[in-house]
Amino acid sequence: MALLKVSNVSKSYDGRKIIDNINLELNKGEIVSLLGVSGVGKTTLFQVISGLVKPDNGTVELNGRDITGVSGEVGYMLQKDLLVQYKTVLDNVALPLIIRGEKKKVAREKAGQLFPKFGLDGTQNKYPSQLSGGMRQRAAFLRTYLFSNEINLLDEPFSALDAITKGELHKWYLDIVNSINLSSIIITHDIDEAIMLSDRIYVMGGRPGSIVSTINIKKEKNQRKDYNLTEEFLEYKKEILSKLM
């Protein structure tokens, strides 16, 4: 059974259909990418999966349980890190636990235990303005993980980073996913990023948006060092480009 299953989901706003008959699956430990041009409905689909909006048709299931229109079941990280500037990094990261009713001291202790694993040790008492862009994203990832350690929805999480920092964060995120068996769906416009990170890529296209192609990446995620320099990588890229035209 898939960890997450989206079946025949459609959604309209003001009489205009945004996404139509979307089907996708996410298995435990997988990274799946939603790849497509702007306006194709990727964020709308995320809003449906996260329960922020209810679809016109279709269902979202988590471990076989219908969570359609139910929020709080999966973690959702927006493009901007949205860290609270007047709170320390530790208090920012602990927020999901506090919102769930944990006492502040306990929430801080639980969150703090994960700082070394997420490469954040030493930043606990700093403020967001004191962190680099890459470190802010790590803090946002950890906060999202504490909201839901089963599934993270990441909306263009690397798009604001420079190329070198982005490459470092890609490697770091793959290491984190492997070490804690995390499952993620990532929205991206970046074909190279999708190939480097994903087990499977769902290519979206059309108006309304739909899945026009599903591409499984055969190379294991932990064996992708310099993968973008290989002929196999270029073949995947050509295939994806042909679907986006």
Side-chain angles (χ1 to χ4, degrees):
M1 180 187 297
L3 175 62
L4 181 80
K5 186 174 183 180
V6 177
S7 303
N8 307 314
V9 162
S10 301
K11 179 64 182 177
S12 300
Y13 287 111
D14 299 324
R16 183 169 71 91
K17 186 171 282 189
I18 307 300
I19 52 175
D20 184 36
N21 197 37
I22 299 287
N23 293 275
L24 64 82
E25 293 186 353
L26 175 69
N27 298 313
K28 186 66 178 175
E30 280 190 329
I31 298 177
V32 164
S33 286
L34 285 176
L35 180 67
V37 299
S38 296
V40 79
K42 301 185 297 297
T43 297
T44 297
L45 178 56
F46 261 24
Q47 291 171 342
V48 170
I49 294 173
S50 64
L52 294 176
V53 300
K54 195 167 185 178
D56 301 329
N57 305 100
T59 58
V60 179
E61 294 176 293
L62 178 63
N63 285 317
R65 179 169 56 91
D66 191 341
I67 61 165
T68 311
V70 179
S71 61
E73 296 287 338
V74 299
Y76 186 1
M77 177 176 157
L78 300 173
Q79 185 174 350
K80 294 182 178 179
D81 59 64
L82 298 180
L83 298 176
V84 181
Q85 297 303 308
Y86 61 85
K87 288 184 178 289
T88 64
V89 176
L90 179 58
D91 284 340
N92 266 284
V93 168
L95 271 175
L97 302 178
I98 294 170
I99 290 169
R100 284 202 202 122
E102 297 269 12
K103 293 196 178 294
K104 186 177 287 188
K105 183 179 178 181
V106 175
R108 283 172 169 168
E109 288 174 355
K110 287 182 177 179
Q113 291 172 1
L114 290 167
F115 269 60
K117 182 178 285 290
F118 278 73
L120 288 164
D121 205 20
T123 69
Q124 287 89 332
N125 296 316
K126 292 185 177 181
Y127 290 88
S129 62
Q130 296 174 287
L131 301 185
S132 66
M135 293 298 279
R136 289 173 65 109
Q137 287 301 88
R138 292 186 190 213
F141 282 131
L142 177 50
R143 183 182 58 189
T144 305
Y145 173 72
L146 287 172
F147 184 86
S148 170
N149 59 15
E150 279 201 290
I151 296 175
N152 284 347
L153 306 179
L154 309 175
D155 192 343
E156 297 193 66
F158 308 104
S159 62
L161 303 174
D162 63 82
I164 293 174
T165 304
K166 183 185 288 191
E168 292 172 350
L169 262 290
H170 285 168
K171 181 180 183 304
W172 170 81
Y173 195 69
L174 287 174
D175 289 343
I176 284 289
V177 166
N178 288 331
S179 66
I180 61 180
N181 203 28
L182 182 63
S183 309
S184 306
I185 306 178
I186 298 176
I187 285 177
T188 182
H189 294 98
D190 188 329
I191 296 174
D192 288 20
E193 179 173 270
I195 299 171
M196 285 297 292
L197 294 180
S198 307
D199 295 285
R200 184 165 56 261
I201 301 169
Y202 289 100
V203 181
M204 291 186 67
R207 295 289 193 280
S210 62
I211 304 295
V212 297
S213 183
T214 303
I215 297 169
N216 294 299
I217 307 298
K218 296 177 182 178
K219 191 77 168 178
E220 293 293 331
K221 293 196 296 293
N222 61 0
Q223 298 176 1
R224 294 187 189 173
K225 179 177 170 54
D226 298 326
Y227 188 45
N228 58 328
L229 304 178
T230 65
E231 186 64 33
E232 183 179 3
F233 184 95
L234 292 176
E235 288 302 316
Y236 280 126
K237 192 168 183 177
K238 289 176 185 176
E239 181 180 359
I240 293 168
L241 282 168
S242 73
K243 305 299 182 183
L244 290 172
M245 296 301 183

